[in-house]
Amino acid sequence: MFAATLSAVGGSAAASPFDPPVPPLPAVTVTPSDWAPKFPIPYDETRRDVTDADINAQREMCQWFTSTYDELMGQVEGFGFNLLAANNDWTIGQIQAQADAVVVNVKDTVAWLAPRALALTQTQDFAGDVYFPLYQGEAFYRLWQHLSNVSVGIEARNTAWIYGPSVQRTKHWGSKINRSHVCE
């Protein structure tokens, strides 16, 4: 079961603290596309609040998501399995080098996503609650937010953080984006 789970997330069947560090992720190059936002119910009602900046930000984040998200999360989870195989001992094998490489990739991703996530419009409803008028805008924003916490946890050598709340929340929002087909 362990090997099947590891293979499903993109790791090797044998977790090893002696694996070499992951390579840097390739830079995301935004290209023109015919992608358009979706406005399912009830987002058809908030369409008037969606700006061109929202649309451009989500278009670019979708290009990142479809090209890089799975690989990045595979790296995070692969590191987690390797750390587990090392009994959470950061001094065994290549664990620290693996952690450093994953942190660089997560931080680069967070830096790339930041201006796009922050460009998304947040509006208040009649009760003063904040919402994102763009379909799955909140999912991208929350994914960016929790992903930024992932690197903090790894850098702090917080072994519980590898499978802790931020990784799980990042996976939750990534799954929500994937299941919505917003990037298709």
Side-chain angles (χ1 to χ4, degrees):
M1 175 128 168
F2 176 73
T5 302
L6 187 56
S7 294
V9 295
S12 62
S16 173
F18 298 97
D19 286 346
V22 295
L25 290 172
V28 177
T29 304
V30 177
T31 58
S33 73
D34 60 355
W35 176 90
K38 294 180 176 20
F39 293 99
I41 295 172
Y43 290 89
D44 57 334
E45 298 289 328
T46 60
R47 187 179 212 153
R48 69 185 175 284
D49 296 325
V50 174
T51 67
D52 288 342
D54 290 324
I55 294 168
N56 288 330
Q58 193 171 66
R59 176 183 294 117
E60 292 177 4
M61 287 189 291
C62 276
Q63 289 185 22
W64 164 81
F65 187 83
T66 58
S67 69
T68 309
Y69 172 79
D70 287 337
E71 184 176 354
L72 179 64
M73 292 312 294
Q75 289 180 358
V76 169
E77 290 195 332
F79 168 67
F81 281 118
N82 289 348
L83 184 60
L84 185 63
N87 294 315
N88 294 327
D89 184 344
W90 292 70
T91 64
I92 292 178
Q94 294 289 310
I95 289 296
Q96 188 60 56
Q98 292 171 13
D100 294 343
V102 169
V103 165
V104 166
N105 285 340
V106 172
K107 282 186 166 188
D108 287 350
T109 297
V110 167
W112 191 89
L113 289 172
R116 293 153 180 91
L118 293 171
L120 296 171
T121 300
Q122 297 182 41
T123 306
Q124 289 188 335
D125 65 13
F126 66 92
D129 294 330
V130 175
Y131 70 93
F132 291 77
L134 182 63
Y135 180 58
Q136 296 304 334
E138 180 179 12
F140 277 105
Y141 184 86
R142 300 293 177 213
L143 184 141
W144 161 74
Q145 190 177 47
H146 290 289
L147 195 55
S148 67
N149 291 334
V150 170
S151 65
V152 171
I154 295 172
E155 280 185 311
R157 289 183 162 198
N158 186 339
T159 54
W161 210 262
I162 306 307
Y163 288 105
S166 289
V167 170
Q168 296 305 315
R169 297 307 292 167
T170 299
K171 289 168 42 177
H172 165 79
W173 292 109
S175 175
K176 189 168 181 144
I177 292 165
N178 188 46
R179 287 180 290 115
S180 73
H181 304 285
V182 70
C183 291
E184 294 174 0

Short mmCIF file of all heavy atoms in Angstrom, two decimals, residues 35 49-61 113-123 130-144 177:
data_model
loop_
_atom_site.label_atom_id
_atom_site.label_comp_id
_atom_site.label_asym_id
_atom_site.label_seq_id
_atom_site.Cartn_x
_atom_site.Cartn_y
_atom_site.Cartn_z
N TRP A 35 -8.06 30.50 -23.60
CA TRP A 35 -8.73 30.20 -22.34
C TRP A 35 -9.68 31.34 -21.99
O TRP A 35 -9.37 32.52 -22.20
CB TRP A 35 -7.70 30.02 -21.23
CG TRP A 35 -8.33 29.79 -19.89
CD1 TRP A 35 -8.66 28.60 -19.34
CD2 TRP A 35 -8.70 30.79 -18.93
NE1 TRP A 35 -9.23 28.79 -18.10
CE2 TRP A 35 -9.27 30.12 -17.83
CE3 TRP A 35 -8.63 32.18 -18.90
CZ2 TRP A 35 -9.75 30.79 -16.71
CZ3 TRP A 35 -9.10 32.85 -17.79
CH2 TRP A 35 -9.65 32.15 -16.72
N ASP A 49 -18.61 41.96 -11.53
CA ASP A 49 -17.52 42.36 -10.64
C ASP A 49 -16.16 41.80 -11.06
O ASP A 49 -15.15 42.10 -10.43
CB ASP A 49 -17.82 41.90 -9.21
CG ASP A 49 -19.05 42.57 -8.63
OD1 ASP A 49 -19.29 43.76 -8.94
OD2 ASP A 49 -19.79 41.90 -7.88
N VAL A 50 -16.14 40.97 -12.10
CA VAL A 50 -14.89 40.37 -12.59
C VAL A 50 -14.19 41.37 -13.50
O VAL A 50 -14.79 41.91 -14.43
CB VAL A 50 -15.17 39.05 -13.32
CG1 VAL A 50 -13.90 38.50 -13.96
CG2 VAL A 50 -15.77 38.03 -12.37
N THR A 51 -12.92 41.61 -13.22
CA THR A 51 -12.14 42.58 -14.00
C THR A 51 -11.23 41.87 -15.00
O THR A 51 -11.02 40.65 -14.92
CB THR A 51 -11.26 43.43 -13.07
OG1 THR A 51 -10.26 42.59 -12.49
CG2 THR A 51 -12.09 44.11 -11.98
N ASP A 52 -10.70 42.65 -15.93
CA ASP A 52 -9.71 42.09 -16.86
C ASP A 52 -8.49 41.57 -16.11
O ASP A 52 -7.89 40.57 -16.51
CB ASP A 52 -9.28 43.15 -17.89
CG ASP A 52 -10.37 43.46 -18.90
OD1 ASP A 52 -11.31 42.65 -19.05
OD2 ASP A 52 -10.28 44.52 -19.55
N ALA A 53 -8.12 42.24 -15.02
CA ALA A 53 -6.98 41.78 -14.21
C ALA A 53 -7.27 40.40 -13.61
O ALA A 53 -6.38 39.55 -13.54
CB ALA A 53 -6.67 42.79 -13.11
N ASP A 54 -8.51 40.17 -13.18
CA ASP A 54 -8.90 38.85 -12.66
C ASP A 54 -8.71 37.79 -13.73
O ASP A 54 -8.14 36.72 -13.47
CB ASP A 54 -10.38 38.83 -12.25
CG ASP A 54 -10.68 39.66 -11.02
OD1 ASP A 54 -9.85 39.72 -10.11
OD2 ASP A 54 -11.78 40.26 -10.99
N ILE A 55 -9.21 38.08 -14.91
CA ILE A 55 -9.17 37.11 -16.01
C ILE A 55 -7.73 36.81 -16.40
O ILE A 55 -7.35 35.65 -16.56
CB ILE A 55 -10.01 37.61 -17.21
CG1 ILE A 55 -11.49 37.66 -16.79
CG2 ILE A 55 -9.80 36.73 -18.42
CD1 ILE A 55 -12.39 38.39 -17.77
N ASN A 56 -6.91 37.85 -16.53
CA ASN A 56 -5.51 37.63 -16.90
C ASN A 56 -4.76 36.85 -15.81
O ASN A 56 -3.97 35.96 -16.11
CB ASN A 56 -4.81 38.95 -17.18
CG ASN A 56 -5.26 39.56 -18.49
OD1 ASN A 56 -5.63 38.86 -19.42
ND2 ASN A 56 -5.26 40.88 -18.54
N ALA A 57 -5.03 37.19 -14.55
CA ALA A 57 -4.36 36.49 -13.44
C ALA A 57 -4.73 35.01 -13.45
O ALA A 57 -3.86 34.14 -13.33
CB ALA A 57 -4.74 37.14 -12.12
N GLN A 58 -6.02 34.72 -13.61
CA GLN A 58 -6.43 33.31 -13.59
C GLN A 58 -5.93 32.57 -14.83
O GLN A 58 -5.53 31.41 -14.73
CB GLN A 58 -7.94 33.17 -13.45
CG GLN A 58 -8.34 31.74 -13.10
CD GLN A 58 -9.79 31.61 -12.76
OE1 GLN A 58 -10.64 31.81 -13.62
NE2 GLN A 58 -10.08 31.28 -11.51
N ARG A 59 -5.90 33.23 -15.97
CA ARG A 59 -5.37 32.60 -17.19
C ARG A 59 -3.92 32.18 -16.95
O ARG A 59 -3.53 31.06 -17.26
CB ARG A 59 -5.44 33.58 -18.36
CG ARG A 59 -4.81 33.03 -19.65
CD ARG A 59 -4.82 34.03 -20.80
NE ARG A 59 -6.20 34.29 -21.21
CZ ARG A 59 -6.80 35.48 -21.12
NH1 ARG A 59 -6.14 36.52 -20.63
NH2 ARG A 59 -8.04 35.63 -21.52
N GLU A 60 -3.13 33.07 -16.38
CA GLU A 60 -1.72 32.77 -16.13
C GLU A 60 -1.56 31.71 -15.05
O GLU A 60 -0.72 30.80 -15.17
CB GLU A 60 -0.98 34.05 -15.77
CG GLU A 60 -0.88 35.00 -16.95
CD GLU A 60 -0.20 36.32 -16.63
OE1 GLU A 60 0.30 36.49 -15.49
OE2 GLU A 60 -0.14 37.18 -17.52
N MET A 61 -2.36 31.79 -13.98
CA MET A 61 -2.27 30.78 -12.94
C MET A 61 -2.71 29.41 -13.45
O MET A 61 -2.17 28.38 -13.02
CB MET A 61 -3.08 31.19 -11.71
CG MET A 61 -2.42 32.32 -10.94
SD MET A 61 -3.17 32.71 -9.35
CE MET A 61 -4.75 33.40 -9.85
N LEU A 113 3.33 33.16 -8.13
CA LEU A 113 1.88 33.24 -7.96
C LEU A 113 1.42 34.51 -7.25
O LEU A 113 0.30 34.97 -7.47
CB LEU A 113 1.36 32.03 -7.17
CG LEU A 113 1.39 30.68 -7.87
CD1 LEU A 113 1.03 29.57 -6.88
CD2 LEU A 113 0.44 30.67 -9.06
N ALA A 114 2.26 35.06 -6.38
CA ALA A 114 1.85 36.18 -5.52
C ALA A 114 1.19 37.34 -6.26
O ALA A 114 0.07 37.73 -5.91
CB ALA A 114 3.03 36.68 -4.69
N PRO A 115 1.82 37.93 -7.27
CA PRO A 115 1.16 39.08 -7.90
C PRO A 115 -0.16 38.70 -8.59
O PRO A 115 -1.08 39.52 -8.69
CB PRO A 115 2.19 39.59 -8.92
CG PRO A 115 3.15 38.47 -9.11
CD PRO A 115 3.12 37.64 -7.87
N ARG A 116 -0.27 37.48 -9.02
CA ARG A 116 -1.49 37.03 -9.69
C ARG A 116 -2.60 36.76 -8.68
O ARG A 116 -3.74 37.17 -8.87
CB ARG A 116 -1.18 35.80 -10.54
CG ARG A 116 -0.27 36.15 -11.72
CD ARG A 116 0.56 34.96 -12.18
NE ARG A 116 1.41 35.34 -13.29
CZ ARG A 116 2.66 35.79 -13.16
NH1 ARG A 116 3.20 35.92 -11.96
NH2 ARG A 116 3.37 36.12 -14.22
N ALA A 117 -2.26 36.08 -7.59
CA ALA A 117 -3.25 35.81 -6.55
C ALA A 117 -3.73 37.11 -5.91
O ALA A 117 -4.93 37.27 -5.63
CB ALA A 117 -2.67 34.88 -5.49
N LEU A 118 -2.80 38.03 -5.71
CA LEU A 118 -3.17 39.30 -5.08
C LEU A 118 -3.94 40.22 -6.03
O LEU A 118 -4.59 41.16 -5.58
CB LEU A 118 -1.92 40.00 -4.56
CG LEU A 118 -1.24 39.28 -3.39
CD1 LEU A 118 0.11 39.91 -3.07
CD2 LEU A 118 -2.14 39.28 -2.17
N ALA A 119 -3.89 39.93 -7.32
CA ALA A 119 -4.64 40.73 -8.30
C ALA A 119 -6.11 40.35 -8.35
O ALA A 119 -6.93 41.08 -8.93
CB ALA A 119 -4.02 40.58 -9.69
N LEU A 120 -6.47 39.22 -7.76
CA LEU A 120 -7.86 38.76 -7.81
C LEU A 120 -8.75 39.66 -6.97
O LEU A 120 -8.42 40.00 -5.83
CB LEU A 120 -7.97 37.32 -7.31
CG LEU A 120 -7.25 36.28 -8.16
CD1 LEU A 120 -7.25 34.93 -7.46
CD2 LEU A 120 -7.89 36.17 -9.54
N THR A 121 -9.87 40.04 -7.54
CA THR A 121 -10.83 40.91 -6.85
C THR A 121 -11.49 40.16 -5.70
O THR A 121 -11.94 39.03 -5.87
CB THR A 121 -11.92 41.39 -7.83
OG1 THR A 121 -11.28 42.12 -8.88
CG2 THR A 121 -12.95 42.25 -7.15
N GLN A 122 -11.53 40.82 -4.56
CA GLN A 122 -12.27 40.33 -3.41
C GLN A 122 -13.35 41.37 -3.13
O GLN A 122 -13.06 42.55 -3.01
CB GLN A 122 -11.36 40.15 -2.19
CG GLN A 122 -10.29 39.11 -2.41
CD GLN A 122 -9.43 38.91 -1.17
OE1 GLN A 122 -9.92 38.88 -0.06
NE2 GLN A 122 -8.13 38.78 -1.39
N THR A 123 -14.57 40.93 -3.02
CA THR A 123 -15.72 41.82 -2.86
C THR A 123 -16.47 41.44 -1.60
O THR A 123 -16.38 40.31 -1.13
CB THR A 123 -16.65 41.68 -4.09
OG1 THR A 123 -15.87 41.90 -5.27
CG2 THR A 123 -17.77 42.69 -4.06
N VAL A 130 -16.50 38.52 2.74
CA VAL A 130 -15.65 38.65 1.57
C VAL A 130 -15.85 37.44 0.66
O VAL A 130 -15.94 36.31 1.13
CB VAL A 130 -14.17 38.78 1.97
CG1 VAL A 130 -13.26 38.79 0.75
CG2 VAL A 130 -13.96 40.03 2.80
N TYR A 131 -15.94 37.69 -0.64
CA TYR A 131 -16.01 36.60 -1.62
C TYR A 131 -15.24 37.01 -2.87
O TYR A 131 -14.95 38.19 -3.08
CB TYR A 131 -17.46 36.22 -1.95
CG TYR A 131 -18.20 37.25 -2.76
CD1 TYR A 131 -18.24 37.18 -4.15
CD2 TYR A 131 -18.87 38.30 -2.14
CE1 TYR A 131 -18.91 38.12 -4.90
CE2 TYR A 131 -19.54 39.25 -2.89
CZ TYR A 131 -19.56 39.16 -4.27
OH TYR A 131 -20.22 40.10 -5.01
N PHE A 132 -14.91 36.02 -3.67
CA PHE A 132 -14.21 36.23 -4.94
C PHE A 132 -15.24 36.08 -6.05
O PHE A 132 -15.81 35.01 -6.21
CB PHE A 132 -13.11 35.19 -5.12
CG PHE A 132 -11.95 35.34 -4.17
CD1 PHE A 132 -12.06 34.94 -2.84
CD2 PHE A 132 -10.76 35.90 -4.59
CE1 PHE A 132 -11.01 35.08 -1.96
CE2 PHE A 132 -9.70 36.04 -3.72
CZ PHE A 132 -9.82 35.63 -2.40
N PRO A 133 -15.48 37.14 -6.84
CA PRO A 133 -16.49 37.03 -7.89
C PRO A 133 -16.09 36.12 -9.05
O PRO A 133 -16.96 35.64 -9.78
CB PRO A 133 -16.68 38.47 -8.37
CG PRO A 133 -15.48 39.20 -7.93
CD PRO A 133 -14.94 38.49 -6.73
N LEU A 134 -14.80 35.85 -9.22
CA LEU A 134 -14.33 34.99 -10.31
C LEU A 134 -14.39 33.53 -9.85
O LEU A 134 -13.87 33.17 -8.79
CB LEU A 134 -12.90 35.36 -10.70
CG LEU A 134 -12.28 34.58 -11.84
CD1 LEU A 134 -13.05 34.82 -13.14
CD2 LEU A 134 -10.83 34.98 -12.02
N TYR A 135 -15.00 32.69 -10.66
CA TYR A 135 -15.12 31.27 -10.36
C TYR A 135 -13.74 30.67 -10.10
O TYR A 135 -12.84 30.81 -10.91
CB TYR A 135 -15.81 30.57 -11.52
CG TYR A 135 -16.00 29.08 -11.37
CD1 TYR A 135 -16.70 28.56 -10.29
CD2 TYR A 135 -15.49 28.20 -12.29
CE1 TYR A 135 -16.89 27.20 -10.14
CE2 TYR A 135 -15.68 26.83 -12.17
CZ TYR A 135 -16.37 26.33 -11.09
OH TYR A 135 -16.56 24.98 -10.95
N GLN A 136 -13.58 30.05 -8.97
CA GLN A 136 -12.35 29.43 -8.47
C GLN A 136 -11.25 30.44 -8.14
O GLN A 136 -10.10 30.06 -7.90
CB GLN A 136 -11.83 28.34 -9.41
CG GLN A 136 -12.77 27.16 -9.54
CD GLN A 136 -13.14 26.51 -8.23
OE1 GLN A 136 -12.40 26.57 -7.26
NE2 GLN A 136 -14.30 25.89 -8.18
N GLY A 137 -11.59 31.71 -8.12
CA GLY A 137 -10.63 32.72 -7.69
C GLY A 137 -10.15 32.46 -6.27
O GLY A 137 -8.96 32.53 -5.97
N GLU A 138 -11.10 32.12 -5.39
CA GLU A 138 -10.72 31.83 -4.01
C GLU A 138 -9.81 30.60 -3.94
O GLU A 138 -8.86 30.56 -3.16
CB GLU A 138 -11.94 31.60 -3.13
CG GLU A 138 -11.55 31.31 -1.69
CD GLU A 138 -12.72 31.10 -0.75
OE1 GLU A 138 -13.86 30.95 -1.20
OE2 GLU A 138 -12.45 31.08 0.47
N ALA A 139 -10.07 29.60 -4.76
CA ALA A 139 -9.24 28.39 -4.73
C ALA A 139 -7.79 28.71 -5.07
O ALA A 139 -6.86 28.23 -4.42
CB ALA A 139 -9.81 27.33 -5.69
N PHE A 140 -7.57 29.54 -6.09
CA PHE A 140 -6.20 29.93 -6.44
C PHE A 140 -5.57 30.76 -5.34
O PHE A 140 -4.39 30.58 -5.00
CB PHE A 140 -6.17 30.69 -7.76
CG PHE A 140 -6.16 29.80 -8.96
CD1 PHE A 140 -7.30 29.65 -9.73
CD2 PHE A 140 -5.03 29.10 -9.33
CE1 PHE A 140 -7.30 28.82 -10.85
CE2 PHE A 140 -5.02 28.27 -10.43
CZ PHE A 140 -6.16 28.13 -11.19
N TYR A 141 -6.34 31.67 -4.77
CA TYR A 141 -5.83 32.52 -3.70
C TYR A 141 -5.42 31.68 -2.49
O TYR A 141 -4.35 31.85 -1.94
CB TYR A 141 -6.88 33.56 -3.30
CG TYR A 141 -6.40 34.54 -2.28
CD1 TYR A 141 -5.72 35.70 -2.67
CD2 TYR A 141 -6.62 34.33 -0.92
CE1 TYR A 141 -5.27 36.60 -1.72
CE2 TYR A 141 -6.17 35.23 0.03
CZ TYR A 141 -5.50 36.37 -0.38
OH TYR A 141 -5.04 37.27 0.55
N ARG A 142 -6.29 30.77 -2.08
CA ARG A 142 -6.01 29.93 -0.92
C ARG A 142 -4.87 28.95 -1.20
O ARG A 142 -4.04 28.68 -0.31
CB ARG A 142 -7.25 29.16 -0.47
CG ARG A 142 -8.42 30.01 -0.10
CD ARG A 142 -8.17 30.82 1.14
NE ARG A 142 -9.32 31.68 1.41
CZ ARG A 142 -9.25 32.86 1.96
NH1 ARG A 142 -8.10 33.35 2.34
NH2 ARG A 142 -10.33 33.58 2.15
N LEU A 143 -4.78 28.43 -2.40
CA LEU A 143 -3.67 27.54 -2.76
C LEU A 143 -2.35 28.30 -2.59
O LEU A 143 -1.41 27.80 -1.97
CB LEU A 143 -3.83 27.05 -4.19
CG LEU A 143 -2.77 26.03 -4.63
CD1 LEU A 143 -3.42 24.95 -5.48
CD2 LEU A 143 -1.68 26.71 -5.42
N TRP A 144 -2.28 29.52 -3.12
CA TRP A 144 -1.08 30.35 -2.97
C TRP A 144 -0.78 30.61 -1.50
O TRP A 144 0.36 30.47 -1.05
CB TRP A 144 -1.27 31.67 -3.72
CG TRP A 144 -0.33 32.74 -3.30
CD1 TRP A 144 1.00 32.82 -3.58
CD2 TRP A 144 -0.63 33.85 -2.46
NE1 TRP A 144 1.55 33.93 -2.98
CE2 TRP A 144 0.56 34.59 -2.30
CE3 TRP A 144 -1.79 34.32 -1.85
CZ2 TRP A 144 0.62 35.75 -1.53
CZ3 TRP A 144 -1.73 35.48 -1.09
CH2 TRP A 144 -0.54 36.18 -0.94
N ILE A 177 -9.51 23.05 -7.72
CA ILE A 177 -9.23 23.64 -9.04
C ILE A 177 -9.31 22.56 -10.11
O ILE A 177 -9.94 22.74 -11.15
CB ILE A 177 -7.85 24.33 -9.05
CG1 ILE A 177 -7.86 25.57 -8.14
CG2 ILE A 177 -7.43 24.69 -10.47
CD1 ILE A 177 -6.49 26.11 -7.81
#
